[in-house]
Amino acid sequence: MTSASMPKAHDSHDQDQFLTILSREEALKRFEAALFPRPLASQPRRFADALGCALAQDVVAPVDVPPFDRSNVDGFAVRSADLASAAETAPIRLTLNDEVIACGVVPERVVLSATATPIATGGPVPRGADAIVMLEHTQPSGARAIEVRRAAAPGQLVSYAGSDIARGEALLRAGTIIGSREIGMLAACGIADVPVVRCPRVAVISTGDELVQPGGRLRPAQIYDTNGAIVTAAIRENGGEAVFAGAVPDDEAELEAAMRTALEEADMLVLSGGTSKGAGDVSHRILPRLGKPGIIAHGVALKPGKPLCLAVCDGKPVVILPGFPTSAMFTFHDMIVPVLRRMAGLPPRSDAKVTAKVPVRIASELGRTEFVMVSLVEADDGLIAYPSGKGSGAITSFAQADGFVRIDALAEQMPAGSGTEVTLLTPHVRVPDLVIIGSHCTGLDLVTTPLARGGLTVRSIAVGSLGGLAAAKRGECDLAPIHLFDDKTETYNTAFLAPGLELVPGWRRMQGIVFRKDDKRFESLGAQEAVRAALADSTCIMVNRNQGAGTRILIDRLLGGARPDGYWNQPRSHNAVAAAVAQCRADWGMTIAPVAHAYGLGFIPLAEEHYDFALVTARKHRPPVQSFLDALASHEVRAALENAGFRPA
Ligand code: AMP
Ligand code: MG
């Protein structure tokens, strides 16, 4: 990079033009260069509160551990020379001194030749004695003497003062992360306060007019503030002290005031949202006013996370994470955690990696390093990494993933079947006992609940019926839940089975027309009549389903070629249809009965959809598969399904 194209960070006039997208590596490099090296502030802490902190200085042992020569067993303190000739056939008699050295008792008598003093484990070895004989290796000989039948080596069963930790010894080195073992060493030396690297205080602000704090009530068009909670927790997970300042509306003056207040106390500020260049996105405009050098990077060639904004204001890092929770979470872990951990004196995270094969082609945007969240399943020839297809707006794509794969900025795709490295989000690969890949249904959870109670781990990956069948054919799952209607035979599912797969009947889901209960147009009509009524009213808007959905086939039949308003609104799930009607974006649509009831909608039954399982025959004998089949057939599960509005087959 030439100096001409370098940002003149000191010149705030240039900052609005500073919209060059940097590579992930370049952005991180510049951010770190603007922040480090920096002195790590040290702070004394009670050791009990120092868990997980980094030690700021070496700690030298102030005392010996143990502080005195100590008996390792219950027995007698003796002079080893007295016992030199002791043997099974030649016992030596020792007279007992007139004291018992329990723990915490200071010995008063000297152990003279041919005497012994009773001593407890941990008792201080008395003067004169140089060895301990175990109680079990002696016999009483009258009230005030013992017999010993084996010799004792000098020093036997004695821990000498300082043998564990010697006074003046370096006990712990600066930079050590304090865990329970380190705390044990500190406690043994009597150290109550330790110098630790002061936890960076990190202020967290969410931005957006639409945000409501969890626990509050959502009004139309509002969403819960997810980022505030996850960022706060992730800061704590990485050695920071998080101070959540709440959500601030997209108002420049209000936000600037909140940012200034936060920065007064904090060492670092993390915001989320408002970093795109859209209407109402104001946070990045405030940054240049908060301190030098200001914005370091705005726009990083990273996916998810392109709108990430990194700034340093008078030495303090200020970060604006993208608004979408998965993007926020991912960029935080990838770009901010390294900086936070360095400020906390912690070593970089060491994430475990495994290799796995991707079963499907993953398209990627040229020019951006792309991270794709994956779920892992085990196939015969190794691990398979399933991309989670939910996109950066979906919190579950990060939260439920096992790890992520990285697609290079210069690659347009990762071809199906390629081997790749997966960075794990957990310390170890969690290989599930049972893998279910295909169409999702809330009824599925009712079947897997008893399995989970029995200690089995079940992974269910929602990729739709066809995706599930493909996975089953490749042997990547045990079962593929499907609901595919075959036009020719007018039956569900059986026609779609390939060799090696067999059908396990699941349950029936009543499909029908949903409408708002107060909508008189549909009151007490049958399905055909309801659709006729809807078509007759030009103000009536429908919501459709996606091509390929079994439900869509039913809708098209009912419409018989008509294309009413809303026809092109084609969401991919039963819930989206119900939400559209409940929220008055549409007046009618087709969904399944349990979903209609959950949304409090009126429901006109039409036809039953068959939700069954394509079972991979080669895996049928596996005990977890048998457990699944048993659960499916059980009285308990069938009752639960019925209760939820399904009809077990
Ligand atoms: P923005 O960058 O502010 O335009 O936000 C992009 C998207 O992320 C929008 O759909 C926002 O509603 C959403 N979003 C922003 N902040 C949050 C947050 N704290 N929690 C959940 N979603 C958010
Ligand atoms: Mg916003």
Side-chain angles (χ1 to χ4, degrees):
M1 171 151 302
T2 65
S3 61
S5 64
M6 285 282 285
K8 296 186 209 75
H10 57 274
D11 183 351
S12 64
H13 277 304
D14 278 359
Q15 298 220 326
D16 251 342
Q17 281 103 67
F18 178 31
L19 302 174
T20 344
I21 305 272
L22 298 182
S23 73
R24 169 184 171 276
E25 288 68 26
E26 181 63 25
L28 196 54
K29 198 173 104 193
R30 290 192 196 180
F31 193 39
E32 294 197 317
L35 289 168
F36 302 107
R38 62 200 283 128
L40 294 178
S42 160
Q43 176 192 41
R45 278 220 186 184
R46 296 259 118 179
F47 66 65
D49 299 328
L51 194 64
C53 294
L55 208 55
Q57 294 150 27
D58 293 350
V59 174
V60 170
V63 293
D64 283 329
V65 180
F68 48 84
D69 299 347
R70 187 171 72 180
S71 172
N72 288 346
V73 293
D74 290 339
F76 300 92
V78 299
R79 288 171 171 265
S80 57
D82 285 347
L83 300 176
S85 65
E88 264 318 305
T89 52
I92 304 275
R93 189 166 188 275
L94 301 174
T95 312
L96 290 182
N97 293 310
D98 174 22
E99 72 174 339
V100 174
I101 307 171
C103 283
V105 167
V106 179
E108 285 174 1
R109 307 270 181 270
V110 180
V111 175
L112 299 171
S113 190
T115 73
T117 299
I119 189 165
T121 307
V125 177
R127 183 179 165 88
D130 63 4
I132 308 294
V133 175
M134 278 171 92
L135 186 65
E136 295 88 323
H137 295 157
T138 65
Q139 269 112 38
S141 171
R144 301 249 28 97
I146 53 168
E147 271 183 9
V148 186
R149 287 167 195 269
R150 58 172 86 185
Q156 165 180 297
L157 298 174
V158 175
S159 286
Y160 286 102
S163 58
D164 192 351
I165 301 168
R167 178 193 303 215
E169 187 182 329
L171 189 62
L172 295 170
R173 292 286 179 197
T176 304
I177 308 307
I178 298 177
S180 54
R181 297 180 305 158
E182 287 70 26
I183 286 180
M185 292 176 59
L186 295 166
C189 288
I191 298 172
D193 297 298
V194 277
V196 295
V197 175
R198 191 171 64 75
C199 267
R201 274 175 76 94
V202 187
V204 179
I205 298 178
S206 300
T207 70
D209 296 337
E210 73 280 27
L211 300 180
V212 175
Q213 289 309 311
R217 232 184 114 76
L218 283 187
R219 289 202 312 270
Q222 292 186 321
I223 59 169
Y224 285 118
D225 175 8
T226 316
N227 295 344
I230 43 189
V231 171
T232 302
I235 288 166
R236 295 193 178 127
E237 280 175 348
N238 288 284
E241 182 192 326
V243 185
F244 181 48
V248 176
D250 294 308
D251 173 274
E252 194 158 343
E254 202 174 325
L255 187 57
E256 179 164 350
M259 288 167 80
R260 286 188 186 278
T261 308
L263 273 173
E264 271 167 29
E265 298 281 315
D267 303 301
M268 178 170 177
L269 172 59
V270 181
L271 298 100
S272 64
T275 172
S276 321
K277 285 129 211 169
D281 292 332
V282 292
S283 20
H284 62 277
R285 281 195 253 146
I286 299 165
L287 288 173
R289 301 197 285 270
L290 294 183
K292 303 265 155 169
I295 293 175
I296 304 285
H298 188 185
V300 178
L302 188 66
K303 188 176 179 184
K306 185 170 167 186
L308 178 69
C309 183
L310 305 173
V312 174
C313 301
D314 295 341
K316 296 181 179 179
V318 179
V319 172
I320 314 177
L321 303 173
F324 275 140
T326 287
S327 309
M329 207 57 266
F330 194 81
T331 45
F332 185 81
H333 277 279
D334 190 51
M335 307 278 289
I336 316 306
V337 163
V339 165
L340 174 60
R341 292 184 72 90
R342 243 177 115 172
M343 288 172 69
L346 301 179
R349 288 179 79 96
S350 51
D351 293 323
K353 296 189 166 121
V354 294
T355 49
K357 224 161 60 181
V358 294
V360 288
R361 171 179 178 273
I362 310 177
S364 171
E365 193 181 315
L366 199 63
R368 282 164 79 185
T369 307
E370 182 157 348
F371 294 91
V372 180
M373 302 298 148
V374 296
S375 296
L376 291 172
V377 300
E378 205 167 39
D380 289 341
D381 56 348
L383 292 170
I384 306 283
Y386 261 91
S388 114
K390 289 205 186 170
S392 59
I395 177 72
T396 48
S397 59
F398 190 84
Q400 293 174 357
D402 291 311
F404 55 85
V405 301
R406 180 192 159 114
I407 306 179
D408 199 74
L410 295 177
E412 267 179 308
Q413 61 153 334
M414 190 173 274
S418 6
T420 183
E421 189 172 68
V422 177
T423 305
L424 297 181
L425 297 168
T426 50
H428 307 285
V429 184
R430 304 173 295 185
V431 176
D433 298 310
L434 185 73
V435 179
I436 301 173
I437 301 179
S439 161
H440 186 70
C441 174
T442 48
L444 195 52
D445 296 337
L446 303 173
V447 188
T448 55
T449 300
L451 303 187
R453 272 206 308 269
L456 291 179
T457 53
V458 181
R459 164 87 27 93
S460 101
I461 302 177
V463 295
S465 297
L466 290 172
L469 278 178
K473 282 181 210 157
R474 290 190 302 258
E476 291 160 6
C477 61
D478 300 293
L479 296 141
I482 52 173
H483 52 100
L484 293 166
F485 186 72
D486 179 44
D487 257 339
K488 271 198 227 95
T489 57
E490 305 226 328
T491 59
Y492 274 96
N493 300 332
T494 317
F496 295 88
L497 293 180
L501 302 180
E502 57 192 88
L503 199 75
V504 175
W507 49 88
R508 309 288 178 252
R509 316 195 286 194
M510 182 53 82
Q511 312 215 69
I513 298 210
V514 278
F515 59 96
R516 287 179 301 282
K517 282 182 177 156
D518 60 2
D519 191 336
K520 301 281 180 260
R521 285 175 293 193
F522 299 105
E523 221 170 52
S524 62
L525 296 183
Q528 308 272 358
E529 298 165 298
V531 172
R532 236 175 280 134
L535 290 176
D537 180 349
S538 63
T539 64
C540 194
I541 299 183
M542 74 170 293
V543 50
N544 205 345
R545 276 296 306 277
N546 55 302
Q547 262 312 338
T551 312
R552 169 65 175 267
I553 296 171
L554 293 178
I555 299 174
D556 278 339
R557 284 188 182 179
L558 280 175
L559 288 175
R563 295 284 181 272
D565 198 4
Y567 184 86
W568 302 107
N569 181 18
Q570 304 180 349
R572 309 188 62 86
S573 78
H574 292 301
N575 284 49
V577 169
V581 175
Q583 293 163 10
C584 301
R585 289 217 305 124
D587 302 311
W588 71 275
M590 192 174 295
T591 189
I592 56 175
V595 171
H597 295 146
Y599 280 78
L601 293 171
F603 184 75
I604 306 170
L606 174 66
E608 275 189 329
E609 175 182 55
H610 295 208
Y611 183 89
D612 298 324
F613 297 88
L615 168 63
V616 179
T617 303
R619 297 198 173 210
K620 195 175 175 178
H621 64 278
R622 298 183 61 241
V625 174
Q626 285 304 319
S627 304
F628 179 89
L629 298 177
D630 291 346
L632 186 61
S634 73
H635 182 72
E636 177 201 351
V637 167
R638 293 174 68 88
L641 284 166
E642 260 168 40
N643 195 35
F646 301 104
R647 195 167 69 80

